[in-house]
Amino acid sequence: MGIEEIIEKTNLIFVDEFEVDEDELSTDAILRDALELDSLDYVDLVVAIESCFSVKLVAEDFKTVDTLQSFYDLLAKKIND
């Protein structure tokens, strides 16, 4: 799956499930700031992403994730490995 499709599907989850303004979803946006999610929302996000992309995410995966681009890159790696 290409990065463009990953970004599109992920952003759709952010907008539909978490009511994030699509204008806030630039690749250099800080994930925590752009999404304004609390810890329970992060659990919901992981479940939604795992369901959409058929991948497994663990806490260790998020150690290097700070921007939306790094999140998209993590998903691309998980999906395409």
Side-chain angles (χ1 to χ4, degrees):
M1 179 180 298
I3 192 71
E4 295 83 16
E5 187 177 357
I6 292 168
I7 291 171
E8 182 180 318
K9 287 183 174 189
T10 303
N11 286 356
L12 190 59
I13 291 170
F14 294 153
V15 170
D16 289 348
E17 300 293 325
F18 300 97
E19 300 175 0
V20 174
D21 184 354
E22 195 166 3
D23 295 334
E24 300 291 320
L25 299 175
S26 65
T27 57
D28 62 342
I30 303 300
L31 181 67
R32 184 175 305 265
D33 296 342
L35 301 182
E36 298 180 5
L37 304 178
D38 62 28
S39 58
L40 291 176
D41 288 331
Y42 273 103
V43 172
D44 291 340
L45 174 61
V46 168
V47 169
I49 293 293
E50 288 178 342
S51 175
C52 179
F53 294 107
S54 299
V55 296
K56 180 72 175 156
L57 298 173
V58 294
E60 183 78 18
D61 294 329
F62 288 90
K63 286 188 175 186
T64 60
V65 172
D66 53 355
T67 64
L68 287 177
Q69 184 63 56
S70 61
F71 186 62
Y72 302 140
D73 292 341
L74 167 67
L75 292 177
K77 183 176 188 306
K78 290 280 192 174
I79 292 165
N80 294 316
D81 277 352

